[in-house]
Amino acid sequence: MASLSVKIKRQRGIGFWVGAAVAALILFLCFGTVGIVAWRAEAGSTINEADISALTFTVKQALLSAFFSVILAIPVARALARRSFFGRRVLITLLGAPFVLPVIVAVLGLLAVFGRSGIVSWLLGQFGIAPIHIYGLHGVVLAHVFFNLPLAVRLILQGWLAIPSEQFRLAASLGCKARDRRRLLEYPMLAEVVPGAFAIIFLICTTSFAVALAIGGGPKSTTLELAIYHAFRFDFDLSKAALLAILQVALSGCAALLAWRLARAASVGGGFDRMVNHYATGSSHVGDSVWLLMTSLFLGLPLAMIVIDGVPRFFSLPLSVWQAAGRSFLVSMATTGLTVVFGLSLAFWVTRLRGTARGLGEAIGYLTVAVSPLVMGAGLFIVIFEFASPQDWALPITALVNSIVALPFAMRVFLPAVEACDARFGALAQSLDLKGFARFRLLEAPRLARPIGFVAGLAAALSMGDLGVVALFADPARATLPLALYDLMGAYRMADAAGAALLLMLLSLGVFYLFDRGGRTDAPL
């Protein structure tokens, strides 16, 4: 019996120390860069009215974006949970598209629908109504709802699907009406799931940069991230940048703590995993259809307009756009490699920790969700400025910061997979003295192929469309495709911008599909 109960001994080989080094790198990029910016800053900078305005606008737009995303997601998730129809799988797939869609591309698509020359303004004009002015607070909130409504739907849909079918059947057998089912089954689930979804979206929106840059609409619609960019890029005011960075870290840290406290799965009891029957009536069928149709139009029209506007110019784009696309591809591949290596190293490192150390290690992996990428870039800029031209290092720094920013998503995927593999095969591997690279190649890599493929696709797509650090100090000759697209929009070359947006969308979706698909091939374990 003793041979069957082999106790798993936590080995601390080179992989453990690589993970520890990655954790140290994250701590430096999150806190060290803020310290460097503050150290180089001149004393005397204080919070002024413009800073208070930026902080207020950041909180205001994040609250409104989270509120509308969650409120609109509730009926959509409910409709998806209780309806089976042709195209349901396509619609659920469409819900994932905004997450990997570059922000600047989505903004161009939203302008084609809701801008002064867009479809909605044209329709309003047919009735003598003035066109929509999309720039400003409502434009920022609209764009954030476009990106976060699918996330809210996915989170709330999981809660609805977690309610056992037996509970709906019991309610029907007891003669409960629709309002009783909502009061007894659905409202308790929503009370558990909605606050977490709201907090997560609020956290995401507090670090908004590209949306505010493209359609913010002036000083009154400036987020803290955008204010940091202005202080560093145009004024080179390090004191101001450091002060705003501290405000940003404090705000995002509070939002992250709130999201961590509130985010939890719905605990609605167990069942036999049968297909859910919500006993919906005919009138609810009409309502569900309207919500699903409106959501499909809201998410699909901007994507369709990118294709329609981009195709005529796609094959005659300037050479500079194709060169920028090549640079974006290289940065994306570098980001992908770093994210996978960093994420796996951190996951293996955390699984070998215990107690408080494990909690701290896991927290380090999610830390970057609360830290501004622009502050990381500014700190690295100051370090490199001492011995080299920062412009020469713009692309490597962009790849490094993008990989660090993608780590919370990687940890969310890798950590459960590594723990499951360790719990199932750890004792067997130890009894066979399987360790080091041989253990990874023979035991862990085949079982982690799917998570690796998904994380690689996600990191590649996010990096391909990134308009953050690269906008901080890359010159036009080294611009990536998102930055080149933003410059085309700024120069009112909208035909070229539409073609470049289509190219960027195809590249982002393409790399995500190829990596995610590659991870599923020959990975049955």
Side-chain angles (χ1 to χ4, degrees), residues 143-270:
H144 284 163
V145 171
F146 175 81
F147 283 109
N148 295 302
L149 174 62
L151 174 61
V153 170
R154 289 288 188 101
L155 293 173
I156 297 173
L157 178 61
Q158 294 304 315
W160 239 299
L161 296 178
I163 302 176
S165 176
E166 288 77 11
Q167 294 192 9
F168 283 99
R169 186 185 305 173
L170 177 62
S173 65
L174 294 175
C176 292
K177 297 181 179 179
R179 64 173 181 272
D180 298 321
R181 290 197 296 272
R182 288 195 293 270
R183 180 173 58 85
L184 296 173
L185 299 179
E186 296 176 340
Y187 290 164
M189 178 277 296
L190 291 174
E192 291 188 357
V193 174
V194 166
F198 181 92
I200 291 172
I201 295 173
F202 176 79
L203 169 62
I204 293 173
C205 294
T206 57
T207 57
S208 176
F209 169 68
V211 169
L213 178 67
I215 54 177
K220 292 183 179 178
S221 304
T222 297
T223 61
L224 282 174
E225 287 279 286
L226 191 55
I228 293 171
Y229 170 74
H230 286 156
F232 191 84
R233 176 79 179 185
F234 299 115
D235 305 328
F236 202 68
D237 188 345
L238 297 182
S239 301
K240 181 63 67 181
L243 191 61
L244 293 170
I246 293 171
L247 283 177
Q248 176 69 68
V249 171
L251 175 62
S252 300
C254 292
L257 186 61
L258 181 67
W260 177 72
R261 293 284 298 176
L262 295 178
R264 51 179 172 170
S267 55
V268 290

Side-chain angles (χ1 to χ4, degrees), residues 75-89 91-92 157 160-161 181 275-292:
V76 179
R78 190 171 189 238
L80 281 173
R82 64 182 181 180
R83 300 296 174 196
S84 178
F85 54 90
F86 177 77
R88 182 176 183 271
R89 186 182 296 272
L91 179 56
I92 293 178
L157 178 61
W160 239 299
L161 296 178
R181 290 197 296 272
M275 184 70 183
V276 176
N277 185 345
H278 290 259
Y279 300 91
T281 62
S283 59
S284 64
H285 183 82
V286 175
D288 289 346
S289 300
V290 170
W291 278 110
L292 292 175

Side-chain angles (χ1 to χ4, degrees), residues 32 35 44 46 48 136 149 156 230 268 278 319 360 369 375 426 438 479 514 519 522:
T46 57
N48 57 29
L149 174 62
I156 297 173
H230 286 156
V268 290
H278 290 259
L319 178 62
L360 291 174
V369 77
V375 177
L514 290 175
D522 297 331

